[in-house]
Structures are given as C-alpha cells and as structure tokens.
Amino acid sequence: ENKLIIGRKCGNEIVGVTRNHFKDTKLFKGALRALGNLSYCDENILWIVQNGATKCIVAGMVANEEDLETQQIAIEVIGNFASYNEDDPDTRRRIERGEQTSVYDIILLEGGAKRILDTVRKTEEPTLMMSGLE
C-alpha cells in the first residue's frame, strides 16, 4: 500500500528525472532504482509505463551504454514492468475493449525489449546476460 501511495505522489517526478536527466548517470540510476521499487505494485506499473518510462529508460541505456550497472538496473526495471499481470480477467477485458493499453505492447513499442536484446548481444558480462534472459 505504501508503494502505491508513493507512486501516486512521486511517480510523475521520478519518471521526469528519467526523461530529463538520463545523461546524468548517477541521477538516472537513482531514478531507475526508485522506479524498480515502485514497480512491485501493478497499479504503479500501469501508470509508470503509460507515462513513457520505458522510452526514457531506453534513452538512458543508450546514453550510458558503457556503464554496466546502469544497463543491469535498467534491464531489471523493465523486467519488473513486464511482470504486470494482464491475465487477470478484468484487466484482459479492459485491454480487449480498448479501455487500457497493454503494458507488454507499450514495452515493445517503446523499444524496451529490443534494447535489452541489443545490450545482451553486445556484452560478455555474465550477470548482464542472465538479467536479459530473465
């Protein structure tokens, strides 16, 4: 419940940091960690993803390509987003009626899956490869 409250109060600012400061590695990683924590709650995931976080994370991954820790955290956060439960019958109905966009579709459209695959393909770092495969 606390993560939902924090997400509602601070989610916009945290996504804004990833959008506006993705070249500042330290700040970007802090925002990624915050999004990772918030994304343990499906309601937060939906809001975060619908507000462009995946696209911002992808931009940050590109800008910080040489920083393995940034890549690792970003992959894990996008993985958290992908844990969103779209199998719930109510959620499935909302998606089918066009009342809600699929989180998975947004992740794909905003380049999250492609960026993870590109990152894994370019690395020889085992932990990064394992995160990408998960």
Side-chain angles (χ1 to χ4, degrees):
E1 185 179 329
N2 288 338
K3 289 183 184 193
L4 181 58
I5 293 167
I6 293 168
R8 288 181 179 162
K9 297 281 184 187
C10 304
N12 194 42
E13 287 81 7
I14 297 168
V15 173
V17 170
T18 64
R19 180 177 294 112
N20 299 317
H21 302 286
F22 61 88
K23 291 182 181 179
D24 181 331
T25 304
K26 186 175 179 179
L27 188 56
F28 182 68
K29 281 194 275 194
L32 284 176
R33 287 185 180 102
L35 288 176
N37 284 325
L38 293 177
S39 63
Y40 284 105
C41 175
D42 272 0
E43 291 89 347
N44 285 339
I45 291 173
L46 182 60
W47 187 92
I48 290 166
V49 172
Q50 285 179 332
N51 282 278
T54 306
K55 180 174 27 179
C56 300
I57 292 170
V58 168
M61 290 175 78
V62 171
N64 297 284
E65 195 166 49
E66 300 304 315
D67 188 307
L68 291 177
E69 184 181 28
T70 299
Q71 301 301 310
Q72 177 83 30
I73 298 167
I75 288 170
E76 290 170 359
V77 171
I78 293 172
N80 286 359
F81 295 167
S83 74
Y84 183 79
N85 182 11
E86 291 189 1
D87 293 331
D88 172 69
D90 291 334
T91 301
R92 180 66 25 222
R93 276 192 292 279
R94 284 193 304 274
I95 291 169
E96 289 169 359
R97 289 188 294 225
E99 298 168 358
Q100 176 182 324
T101 307
S102 165
V103 168
Y104 308 136
D105 289 350
I106 295 170
I107 291 170
L108 287 172
L109 290 171
E110 292 188 355
K114 181 180 183 321
R115 185 64 208 173
I116 289 171
L117 291 173
D118 289 347
T119 301
V120 169
R121 192 187 63 208
K122 293 177 187 176
T123 189
E124 293 183 20
E125 177 61 39
T127 55
L128 199 57
M129 293 170 71
M130 290 307 296
S131 290
L133 293 174
E134 290 175 0

